[in-house]
Amino acid sequence: MQPPGRRRFQSQTQQFPYAIAFSKSLVLLLLSTFLTTCSKSDGFLATLPPTPTQKAVELGPTSTTLPTLPTESAPAPTPTLRPLPPISESDHSFGVPEAEITLLVYSDFQCPYCAAFYQSWSQIEERHPGMLRLVFRHFPLLPLHDKADIAGAAAEVASKSAKFWEMHDALFEDQTEWAELDREAFIEWIKQTAATIDLDPELFIEDLASGDELEAMNQAYQDGVRAGIPGTPFIFLNGEWYRLNPTAINLEASIQLELLRQHQYTAPPQLDLGHGNLLFAHLELDQGEIVIQLFPDLTPVSYT
């Protein structure tokens, strides 16, 4: 006895023999039609997108070769600054002319970075008495600093009484007091400052009001622009453009290197020590003396 489900399936199959045969015929007909259609040029393939007639832009290949090393050293960059006037007696100079280190600075009394340089200079100048010289040249940044011309003119008026550096120091040391004042209030501040450095305030202001020094400040600005000075403070150390931030640490290191360079030998000294003698080198240091025995027979290359 078979399960009821099995009997129902068999009875249904027996009832529809023609339906199954018809289904097989329909599948064969559809398959034949599909194969025939795919083989025609105007059928399914004809609906594909056309082949592009223009190529896409081709990018250049990425370089895979190592760069060649230069056979010669790179040339020095071409200077962009015009030749500056040499230091002369007309410049404001602090220190002896024969000093080992000369700092030439283009400066603006209202520039905060110039005031910072002044503080750095004050520190290093005390460490090297008699060895440093500071040369000051005006470069008032007009109209960025609205009182730079008056401040420079005040220093020039003071220089007529040999008080340039006193006014120079007062302007930088008290820059935060007057930098934000209007021009009239600043002139009053200058008048009071003139009295502190033993100048007649009334005569000082009268000389300042003449306008001669103000015109000189405008000319100093034009001269700096034509020379290619880009800003302030612009510094030269022994004639070389100083490109570091002029902090006290950087200036001290640069000065020490410059002093060392001046005491270096450009060529080995000519020595005739003779042969057969005992030779000793004595090095005197702060911690004591070092004695080194020399053996010219064993090291003939270093013995001349």
mmCIF file of all heavy atoms in Angstrom, residues 224-255:
data_model
loop_
_atom_site.group_PDB
_atom_site.id
_atom_site.type_symbol
_atom_site.label_atom_id
_atom_site.label_comp_id
_atom_site.label_asym_id
_atom_site.label_seq_id
_atom_site.Cartn_x
_atom_site.Cartn_y
_atom_site.Cartn_z
ATOM 1 N N GLY A 224 65.479 102.968 0.588
ATOM 2 C CA GLY A 224 65.396 101.563 0.985
ATOM 3 C C GLY A 224 64.600 100.728 0.008
ATOM 4 O O GLY A 224 64.972 99.591 -0.303
ATOM 5 N N VAL A 225 63.508 101.292 -0.502
ATOM 6 C CA VAL A 225 62.697 100.569 -1.486
ATOM 7 C C VAL A 225 63.490 100.333 -2.762
ATOM 8 O O VAL A 225 63.484 99.233 -3.331
ATOM 9 C CB VAL A 225 61.400 101.346 -1.778
ATOM 10 C CG1 VAL A 225 60.656 100.720 -2.949
ATOM 11 C CG2 VAL A 225 60.502 101.356 -0.542
ATOM 12 N N ARG A 226 64.191 101.353 -3.237
ATOM 13 C CA ARG A 226 64.989 101.197 -4.465
ATOM 14 C C ARG A 226 66.131 100.200 -4.276
ATOM 15 O O ARG A 226 66.539 99.531 -5.229
ATOM 16 C CB ARG A 226 65.540 102.559 -4.901
ATOM 17 C CG ARG A 226 64.522 103.451 -5.586
ATOM 18 C CD ARG A 226 65.199 104.637 -6.253
ATOM 19 N NE ARG A 226 65.783 105.542 -5.274
ATOM 20 C CZ ARG A 226 65.150 106.580 -4.749
ATOM 21 N NH1 ARG A 226 63.918 106.858 -5.123
ATOM 22 N NH2 ARG A 226 65.744 107.366 -3.872
ATOM 23 N N ALA A 227 66.639 100.088 -3.052
ATOM 24 C CA ALA A 227 67.723 99.137 -2.781
ATOM 25 C C ALA A 227 67.216 97.714 -2.648
ATOM 26 O O ALA A 227 68.012 96.778 -2.582
ATOM 27 C CB ALA A 227 68.465 99.547 -1.513
ATOM 28 N N GLY A 228 65.900 97.531 -2.598
ATOM 29 C CA GLY A 228 65.343 96.188 -2.490
ATOM 30 C C GLY A 228 65.186 95.703 -1.071
ATOM 31 O O GLY A 228 64.999 94.508 -0.850
ATOM 32 N N ILE A 229 65.240 96.605 -0.089
ATOM 33 C CA ILE A 229 65.054 96.201 1.301
ATOM 34 C C ILE A 229 63.598 95.771 1.478
ATOM 35 O O ILE A 229 62.685 96.571 1.257
ATOM 36 C CB ILE A 229 65.392 97.351 2.267
ATOM 37 C CG1 ILE A 229 66.816 97.860 2.017
ATOM 38 C CG2 ILE A 229 65.226 96.909 3.705
ATOM 39 C CD1 ILE A 229 67.890 96.848 2.253
ATOM 40 N N PRO A 230 63.332 94.524 1.885
ATOM 41 C CA PRO A 230 61.947 94.038 1.943
ATOM 42 C C PRO A 230 61.210 94.389 3.228
ATOM 43 O O PRO A 230 59.979 94.344 3.262
ATOM 44 C CB PRO A 230 62.105 92.524 1.808
ATOM 45 C CG PRO A 230 63.431 92.235 2.429
ATOM 46 C CD PRO A 230 64.298 93.436 2.139
ATOM 47 N N GLY A 231 61.911 94.702 4.300
ATOM 48 C CA GLY A 231 61.236 94.971 5.566
ATOM 49 C C GLY A 231 62.250 95.276 6.645
ATOM 50 O O GLY A 231 63.449 95.428 6.377
ATOM 51 N N THR A 232 61.764 95.367 7.867
ATOM 52 C CA THR A 232 62.627 95.699 8.996
ATOM 53 C C THR A 232 62.431 94.703 10.120
ATOM 54 O O THR A 232 61.335 94.139 10.262
ATOM 55 C CB THR A 232 62.298 97.111 9.517
ATOM 56 O OG1 THR A 232 60.904 97.179 9.846
ATOM 57 C CG2 THR A 232 62.617 98.164 8.488
ATOM 58 N N PRO A 233 63.461 94.461 10.935
ATOM 59 C CA PRO A 233 64.835 94.939 10.739
ATOM 60 C C PRO A 233 65.543 94.122 9.664
ATOM 61 O O PRO A 233 65.403 92.904 9.618
ATOM 62 C CB PRO A 233 65.469 94.714 12.104
ATOM 63 C CG PRO A 233 64.738 93.525 12.665
ATOM 64 C CD PRO A 233 63.326 93.651 12.162
ATOM 65 N N PHE A 234 66.284 94.795 8.803
ATOM 66 C CA PHE A 234 67.054 94.129 7.762
ATOM 67 C C PHE A 234 68.518 94.286 8.130
ATOM 68 O O PHE A 234 69.031 95.406 8.198
ATOM 69 C CB PHE A 234 66.760 94.732 6.396
ATOM 70 C CG PHE A 234 67.061 93.811 5.260
ATOM 71 C CD1 PHE A 234 66.287 92.697 5.024
ATOM 72 C CD2 PHE A 234 68.143 94.055 4.425
ATOM 73 C CE1 PHE A 234 66.567 91.841 3.966
ATOM 74 C CE2 PHE A 234 68.429 93.210 3.379
ATOM 75 C CZ PHE A 234 67.639 92.098 3.146
ATOM 76 N N ILE A 235 69.216 93.158 8.340
ATOM 77 C CA ILE A 235 70.514 93.167 9.019
ATOM 78 C C ILE A 235 71.593 92.572 8.120
ATOM 79 O O ILE A 235 71.356 91.589 7.399
ATOM 80 C CB ILE A 235 70.426 92.369 10.339
ATOM 81 C CG1 ILE A 235 69.282 92.914 11.218
ATOM 82 C CG2 ILE A 235 71.735 92.404 11.107
ATOM 83 C CD1 ILE A 235 68.929 92.009 12.378
ATOM 84 N N PHE A 236 72.766 93.162 8.207
ATOM 85 C CA PHE A 236 73.966 92.626 7.567
ATOM 86 C C PHE A 236 75.019 92.427 8.651
ATOM 87 O O PHE A 236 75.285 93.342 9.441
ATOM 88 C CB PHE A 236 74.494 93.568 6.481
ATOM 89 C CG PHE A 236 73.578 93.718 5.306
ATOM 90 C CD1 PHE A 236 72.553 94.659 5.329
ATOM 91 C CD2 PHE A 236 73.718 92.918 4.189
ATOM 92 C CE1 PHE A 236 71.698 94.798 4.249
ATOM 93 C CE2 PHE A 236 72.870 93.046 3.103
ATOM 94 C CZ PHE A 236 71.856 93.990 3.137
ATOM 95 N N LEU A 237 75.597 91.248 8.693
ATOM 96 C CA LEU A 237 76.661 90.937 9.647
ATOM 97 C C LEU A 237 77.970 90.843 8.874
ATOM 98 O O LEU A 237 78.146 89.945 8.047
ATOM 99 C CB LEU A 237 76.363 89.632 10.379
ATOM 100 C CG LEU A 237 77.196 89.318 11.631
ATOM 101 C CD1 LEU A 237 76.442 88.345 12.549
ATOM 102 C CD2 LEU A 237 78.544 88.706 11.273
ATOM 103 N N ASN A 238 78.844 91.799 9.115
ATOM 104 C CA ASN A 238 80.117 91.896 8.374
ATOM 105 C C ASN A 238 79.896 91.827 6.867
ATOM 106 O O ASN A 238 80.611 91.134 6.132
ATOM 107 C CB ASN A 238 81.089 90.806 8.833
ATOM 108 C CG ASN A 238 81.752 91.150 10.160
ATOM 109 O OD1 ASN A 238 81.490 92.192 10.755
ATOM 110 N ND2 ASN A 238 82.623 90.275 10.629
ATOM 111 N N GLY A 239 78.872 92.548 6.418
ATOM 112 C CA GLY A 239 78.610 92.656 4.988
ATOM 113 C C GLY A 239 77.753 91.556 4.407
ATOM 114 O O GLY A 239 77.376 91.635 3.233
ATOM 115 N N GLU A 240 77.433 90.518 5.186
ATOM 116 C CA GLU A 240 76.627 89.409 4.693
ATOM 117 C C GLU A 240 75.197 89.537 5.220
ATOM 118 O O GLU A 240 74.981 89.835 6.394
ATOM 119 C CB GLU A 240 77.221 88.060 5.125
ATOM 120 C CG GLU A 240 78.617 87.780 4.581
ATOM 121 C CD GLU A 240 78.604 87.566 3.074
ATOM 122 O OE1 GLU A 240 77.561 87.128 2.541
ATOM 123 O OE2 GLU A 240 79.633 87.853 2.428
ATOM 124 N N TRP A 241 74.227 89.298 4.325
ATOM 125 C CA TRP A 241 72.818 89.367 4.700
ATOM 126 C C TRP A 241 72.536 88.350 5.804
ATOM 127 O O TRP A 241 72.757 87.152 5.636
ATOM 128 C CB TRP A 241 71.958 89.113 3.470
ATOM 129 C CG TRP A 241 70.479 89.094 3.716
ATOM 130 C CD1 TRP A 241 69.814 89.507 4.828
ATOM 131 C CD2 TRP A 241 69.483 88.646 2.794
ATOM 132 N NE1 TRP A 241 68.463 89.339 4.677
ATOM 133 C CE2 TRP A 241 68.232 88.813 3.441
ATOM 134 C CE3 TRP A 241 69.517 88.127 1.496
ATOM 135 C CZ2 TRP A 241 67.035 88.460 2.822
ATOM 136 C CZ3 TRP A 241 68.324 87.784 0.885
ATOM 137 C CH2 TRP A 241 67.096 87.955 1.540
ATOM 138 N N TYR A 242 72.047 88.833 6.942
ATOM 139 C CA TYR A 242 71.751 87.968 8.087
ATOM 140 C C TYR A 242 70.318 87.482 7.956
ATOM 141 O O TYR A 242 69.368 88.257 8.094
ATOM 142 C CB TYR A 242 71.949 88.741 9.397
ATOM 143 C CG TYR A 242 71.867 87.860 10.630
ATOM 144 C CD1 TYR A 242 72.926 87.053 10.992
ATOM 145 C CD2 TYR A 242 70.721 87.833 11.416
ATOM 146 C CE1 TYR A 242 72.865 86.242 12.116
ATOM 147 C CE2 TYR A 242 70.646 87.034 12.533
ATOM 148 C CZ TYR A 242 71.721 86.239 12.880
ATOM 149 O OH TYR A 242 71.641 85.434 13.989
ATOM 150 N N ARG A 243 70.131 86.168 7.718
ATOM 151 C CA ARG A 243 68.814 85.623 7.384
ATOM 152 C C ARG A 243 68.124 84.927 8.545
ATOM 153 O O ARG A 243 67.025 84.416 8.383
ATOM 154 C CB ARG A 243 68.942 84.649 6.208
ATOM 155 C CG ARG A 243 69.665 85.260 5.020
ATOM 156 C CD ARG A 243 69.576 84.399 3.793
ATOM 157 N NE ARG A 243 70.353 84.950 2.701
ATOM 158 C CZ ARG A 243 70.151 84.674 1.417
ATOM 159 N NH1 ARG A 243 69.175 83.853 1.080
ATOM 160 N NH2 ARG A 243 70.903 85.220 0.484
ATOM 161 N N LEU A 244 68.751 84.876 9.705
ATOM 162 C CA LEU A 244 68.130 84.225 10.848
ATOM 163 C C LEU A 244 67.273 85.214 11.628
ATOM 164 O O LEU A 244 67.407 86.426 11.488
ATOM 165 C CB LEU A 244 69.201 83.635 11.776
ATOM 166 C CG LEU A 244 70.121 82.573 11.184
ATOM 167 C CD1 LEU A 244 71.161 82.158 12.218
ATOM 168 C CD2 LEU A 244 69.341 81.367 10.700
ATOM 169 N N ASN A 245 66.385 84.653 12.448
ATOM 170 C CA ASN A 245 65.631 85.487 13.364
ATOM 171 C C ASN A 245 66.621 86.101 14.358
ATOM 172 O O ASN A 245 67.321 85.381 15.066
ATOM 173 C CB ASN A 245 64.591 84.639 14.090
ATOM 174 C CG ASN A 245 63.708 85.454 15.007
ATOM 175 O OD1 ASN A 245 63.721 86.681 14.983
ATOM 176 N ND2 ASN A 245 62.936 84.779 15.828
ATOM 177 N N PRO A 246 66.709 87.434 14.438
ATOM 178 C CA PRO A 246 67.773 88.048 15.254
ATOM 179 C C PRO A 246 67.473 88.012 16.749
ATOM 180 O O PRO A 246 67.441 89.048 17.422
ATOM 181 C CB PRO A 246 67.822 89.478 14.716
ATOM 182 C CG PRO A 246 66.433 89.762 14.262
ATOM 183 C CD PRO A 246 65.927 88.462 13.715
ATOM 184 N N THR A 247 67.285 86.826 17.288
ATOM 185 C CA THR A 247 67.171 86.690 18.737
ATOM 186 C C THR A 247 68.567 86.769 19.351
ATOM 187 O O THR A 247 69.584 86.659 18.656
ATOM 188 C CB THR A 247 66.523 85.350 19.102
ATOM 189 O OG1 THR A 247 67.364 84.278 18.632
ATOM 190 C CG2 THR A 247 65.148 85.203 18.449
ATOM 191 N N ALA A 248 68.611 86.945 20.660
ATOM 192 C CA ALA A 248 69.911 87.038 21.332
ATOM 193 C C ALA A 248 70.701 85.751 21.155
ATOM 194 O O ALA A 248 71.925 85.782 20.953
ATOM 195 C CB ALA A 248 69.703 87.350 22.812
ATOM 196 N N ILE A 249 70.018 84.601 21.196
ATOM 197 C CA ILE A 249 70.714 83.314 21.051
ATOM 198 C C ILE A 249 71.295 83.178 19.649
ATOM 199 O O ILE A 249 72.459 82.791 19.468
ATOM 200 C CB ILE A 249 69.758 82.154 21.370
ATOM 201 C CG1 ILE A 249 69.364 82.183 22.848
ATOM 202 C CG2 ILE A 249 70.389 80.813 21.014
ATOM 203 C CD1 ILE A 249 68.363 81.114 23.239
ATOM 204 N N ASN A 250 70.485 83.493 18.627
ATOM 205 C CA ASN A 250 70.973 83.368 17.254
ATOM 206 C C ASN A 250 72.107 84.344 16.969
ATOM 207 O O ASN A 250 73.100 84.002 16.309
ATOM 208 C CB ASN A 250 69.827 83.604 16.275
ATOM 209 C CG ASN A 250 68.847 82.448 16.217
ATOM 210 O OD1 ASN A 250 69.140 81.358 16.693
ATOM 211 N ND2 ASN A 250 67.682 82.692 15.660
ATOM 212 N N LEU A 251 71.974 85.565 17.442
ATOM 213 C CA LEU A 251 73.028 86.547 17.218
ATOM 214 C C LEU A 251 74.324 86.142 17.919
ATOM 215 O O LEU A 251 75.414 86.261 17.347
ATOM 216 C CB LEU A 251 72.576 87.922 17.708
ATOM 217 C CG LEU A 251 71.551 88.653 16.833
ATOM 218 C CD1 LEU A 251 71.056 89.905 17.545
ATOM 219 C CD2 LEU A 251 72.157 89.018 15.476
ATOM 220 N N GLU A 252 74.205 85.654 19.138
ATOM 221 C CA GLU A 252 75.395 85.232 19.873
ATOM 222 C C GLU A 252 76.109 84.088 19.147
ATOM 223 O O GLU A 252 77.340 84.100 18.991
ATOM 224 C CB GLU A 252 75.010 84.805 21.287
ATOM 225 C CG GLU A 252 76.169 84.302 22.142
ATOM 226 C CD GLU A 252 77.194 85.376 22.445
ATOM 227 O OE1 GLU A 252 76.833 86.576 22.434
ATOM 228 O OE2 GLU A 252 78.364 85.027 22.690
ATOM 229 N N ALA A 253 75.333 83.095 18.680
ATOM 230 C CA ALA A 253 75.937 81.967 17.955
ATOM 231 C C ALA A 253 76.601 82.435 16.667
ATOM 232 O O ALA A 253 77.709 81.997 16.319
ATOM 233 C CB ALA A 253 74.872 80.908 17.660
ATOM 234 N N SER A 254 75.948 83.318 15.939
ATOM 235 C CA SER A 254 76.516 83.818 14.684
ATOM 236 C C SER A 254 77.783 84.625 14.933
ATOM 237 O O SER A 254 78.751 84.529 14.170
ATOM 238 C CB SER A 254 75.477 84.675 13.958
ATOM 239 O OG SER A 254 74.305 83.937 13.675
ATOM 240 N N ILE A 255 77.791 85.407 15.988
ATOM 241 C CA ILE A 255 78.978 86.197 16.311
ATOM 242 C C ILE A 255 80.141 85.289 16.708
ATOM 243 O O ILE A 255 81.285 85.501 16.285
ATOM 244 C CB ILE A 255 78.649 87.206 17.426
ATOM 245 C CG1 ILE A 255 77.744 88.312 16.872
ATOM 246 C CG2 ILE A 255 79.916 87.800 18.033
ATOM 247 C CD1 ILE A 255 77.208 89.246 17.929
#
